[in-house]
């Protein structure tokens, strides 16, 4: 039936729950109010990408079969980006180009954050966060970098089954302004 071509695949509730947790943490007002993340479309994009990276970073250590959960999460992330662009009024003809640019940005950030976390070099992670998340450099990269390391460690300690159940928790966002 030709109409079946236009039906959307029903999303797995686990993926919806995981993605919802990522977005909820990325929208935590403390990042914007206390830590210098710009409360703009770009700033919110950066925070969603950062938190999606943290979950995907954890899932990449799993077997190939289990990494499928990460792929489904990635797919939902970009479907949401597509929907968001359309809601912002980006024309249908420009959405694919914007999504491609967002994909390039995403992969660049993943590489930078992966390298920084693997090397354990604080300045490298701080530098990546300063360039990408705190574009105006008004925030304290040390606080944000410490949060990212804490979140990566907390997610690494969680068993895969908790992700499969849609159960993830990010650490609390530090309160207070930049020091």
């Amino acid at each position: 039936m030709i109409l079946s071509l236009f039906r959307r695949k029903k999303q797995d509730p686990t993926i919806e729950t995981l993605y919802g947790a990522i977005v909820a943490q990325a929208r935590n007002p403390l990042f914007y109010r206390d830590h210098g993340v710009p409360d703009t479309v770009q700033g919110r994009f950066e925070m969603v990408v950062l938190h999606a990276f943290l979950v995907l970073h954890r899932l990449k250590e799993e077997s190939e079969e289990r990494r499928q959960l990460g792929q489904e999460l990635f797919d939902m992330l970009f479907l949401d980006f597509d929907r968001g662009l359309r809601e912002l009024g980006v024309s249908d003809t420009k959405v694919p180009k914007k999504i491609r640019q967002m994909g390039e940005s995403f992969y660049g950030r993943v590489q930078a954050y992966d390298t920084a976390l693997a090397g354990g070099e604080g300045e490298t992670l701080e530098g990546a966060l300063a360039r990408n998340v705190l574009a105006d450099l008004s925030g304290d990269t040390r606080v944000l970098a410490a949060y990212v390391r804490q979140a990566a460690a907390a997610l690494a300690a969680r068993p895969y089954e908790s992700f499969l159940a849609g159960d993830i928790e990010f650490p609390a966002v530090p309160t207070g302004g930049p020091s």
Side-chain angles (χ1 to χ4, degrees):
M1 173 181 264
I2 195 152
L3 292 178
S4 67
L5 292 174
F6 298 103
R7 287 192 190 140
R8 287 187 164 215
K9 177 183 163 190
K10 186 176 179 187
Q11 281 296 329
D12 179 345
T14 298
I15 301 303
E16 290 178 0
T17 302
L18 288 173
Y19 186 66
I22 289 168
V23 171
Q25 186 70 358
R27 290 183 176 168
N28 188 314
L30 294 175
F31 287 120
Y32 306 94
R33 186 188 74 207
D34 294 354
H35 300 297
V37 176
D39 193 2
T40 62
V41 171
Q42 185 64 34
R44 289 175 179 255
F45 167 79
E46 294 296 346
M47 292 307 291
V48 170
V49 165
L50 177 62
H51 286 89
F53 157 76
L54 287 165
V55 173
L56 295 171
H57 180 74
R58 162 57 181 87
L59 292 174
K60 78 176 186 172
E61 301 304 320
E62 295 294 333
S63 67
E64 187 172 335
E65 180 181 324
R66 287 182 165 190
R67 283 194 308 259
Q68 182 60 32
L69 185 66
Q71 181 62 54
E72 291 175 27
L73 184 59
F74 173 86
D75 293 346
M76 181 167 221
L77 173 73
F78 276 86
L79 281 172
D80 191 45
F81 288 164
D82 182 283
R83 185 177 63 242
L85 288 170
R86 292 172 194 282
E87 287 175 3
L88 287 171
V90 175
S91 72
D92 288 345
T93 58
K94 291 186 180 179
V95 167
K97 180 180 178 185
K98 295 276 188 190
I99 289 293
R100 187 178 72 247
Q101 291 169 340
M102 293 169 98
E104 290 169 0
S105 295
F106 177 83
Y107 284 117
R109 281 140 180 84
V110 164
Q111 183 177 11
Y113 300 151
D114 251 343
T115 300
L117 285 176
E121 298 176 14
E123 290 182 6
T124 302
L125 181 57
E126 289 173 358
L129 294 169
R131 270 190 316 281
N132 298 316
V133 177
L134 305 174
D136 64 359
L137 303 177
S138 67
D140 187 342
T141 57
R142 294 172 298 167
V143 172
L144 192 55
Y147 165 80
V148 169
R149 286 187 198 94
Q150 182 183 13
L155 292 170
R158 293 187 74 82
Y160 173 78
E161 291 73 24
S162 68
F163 292 92
L164 197 56
D167 179 27
I168 60 170
E169 290 181 25
F170 290 96
V173 178
T175 58
S179 28

